[in-house]
């Protein structure tokens, strides 16, 4: 760990794309950064500046243990980015009930993982060491929870995100006095819709820039934060 600062971020679901870009920005800004995923990069691909933590965010015990490891090694966390997501399509697309029940449970558990991660983060956020530091819990979002119907191939992903929005929209009201920011952050197209996948693939630097701004927002803004590939906030109302 190169940084001696008390600023600590834990990115859950940290892969080569968003996680990598956000980690790099936070490290450059003086953060100690922990990266969590189910499979860790090979030893020769790991960067010395990061703490790599193996966890399956769909498993309560794994999140709790990983959090304890991060706090033990880096100190109390003041930023959490929950970026993990998975997709399991029903084997017969026109028959949503062909989805194995275990896939439904897995999807729900990954959504609940955001709640568990925040529950574990709360004592860190409230630690005296972070009294004057930004405190933020950001979930990487998409537009699925904002409409009831989606194609069956996105059904399990929608479950995860819907559970996350239910939780984030409530938490944002409950921790204002503690100055903790909660965001469900979604890249959208310039007309507010689902961006083409090619835009999403170009989006990592934008995610890093936007998350940095959200972490450092002086005031909590709409928890349902939508932004374009240019990093501009997309104005909208949240139901
Ligand atoms: N707004 C949009 O239009 C849009 C479009 C696409 C995606 N997204 C969102 O963007 C996020 C993914 O972005 P990305 O490009 O950064 O993906 P990525 O580079 O693939 O990183 C995601 C990482 O999450 C990890 N992960 C998956 N399941 C996990 C679990 N159960 N526990 C712990 N780690 C887990 C994966 O590693 P392991 O497999 O090793 O665990 C993976 O490396 C998701 O939240 C997704 O819903 C948004």
């Amino acid at each position: 760990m190169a940084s001696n600062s008390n600023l600590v971020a834990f990115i859950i679901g940290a892969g080569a794309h968003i996680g990598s870009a956000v980690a790099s920005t936070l490290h450059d800004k003086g953060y100690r950064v922990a990266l969590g995923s189910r499979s860790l990069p090979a030893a020769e691909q790991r960067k010395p500046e990061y703490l790599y933590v193996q966890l399956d965010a769909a498993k309560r015990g794994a999140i709790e243990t990983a959090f304890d490891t991060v706090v033990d090694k880096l100190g109390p966390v003041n930023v959490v980015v929950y970026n993990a997501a998975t997709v399991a399509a029903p084997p017969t697309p026109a028959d949503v009930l062909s989805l194995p029940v275990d896939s439904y449970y897995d999807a729900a558990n990954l959504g609940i993982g955001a709640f568990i991660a925040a529950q574990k983060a709360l004592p860190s956020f409230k630690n005296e060491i972070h009294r004057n530091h930004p405190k933020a819990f950001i979930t990487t979002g998409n537009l699925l929870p904002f409409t009831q119907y989606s194609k069956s191939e996105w059904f399990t992903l929608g479950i995860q995100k819907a559970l996350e929005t239910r939780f984030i929209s409530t938490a944002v009201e409950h921790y204002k006095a503690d100055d903790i920011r909660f965001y469900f952050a979604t890249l959208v197209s310039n007309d507010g819709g689902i961006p083409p996948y090619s835009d999403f693939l170009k989006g990592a630097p934008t995610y890093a820039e936007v998350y940095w701004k959200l972490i450092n927002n002086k005031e909590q803004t709409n928890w349902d934060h939508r932004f374009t590939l240019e990093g501009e906030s997309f104005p909208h109302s949240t139901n």
Side-chain angles (χ1 to χ4, degrees), residues 13 15-18 38-39 55-57 83 85 110 140-141 161 187 195 200:
H17 188 226
I18 298 171
R38 290 168 300 182
S39 55
L55 87 158
D56 182 348
N83 189 60
L110 199 52
T140 304
K161 302 300 183 187
L187 178 73
F200 175 74

Side-chain angles (χ1 to χ4, degrees), residues 42-114:
E44 64 276 11
Q45 289 171 346
R46 294 184 201 173
K47 299 189 174 173
E49 60 267 35
Y50 301 137
L51 173 69
Y52 292 86
V53 186
Q54 197 273 329
L55 87 158
D56 182 348
K59 297 199 165 90
R60 174 183 175 175
I63 299 179
E64 292 175 344
T65 303
F67 244 95
D68 291 341
T69 301
V70 172
V71 172
D72 187 44
K73 297 204 168 161
L74 303 186
V77 170
N78 65 303
V79 169
V80 176
V81 174
Y82 195 84
N83 189 60
T86 51
V87 181
T92 307
D95 178 7
V96 71
L97 293 175
S98 66
L99 183 77
V101 174
D102 282 347
S103 300
Y104 201 139
Y105 273 116
D106 290 346
N109 284 332
L110 199 52
I112 294 166

Side-chain angles (χ1 to χ4, degrees), residues 144-145 157-167 184:
L144 289 173
L157 185 59
I159 288 162
Q160 293 155 45
K161 302 300 183 187
L163 285 166
E164 290 164 10
T165 54
R166 296 297 293 186
F167 153 62
F184 183 83

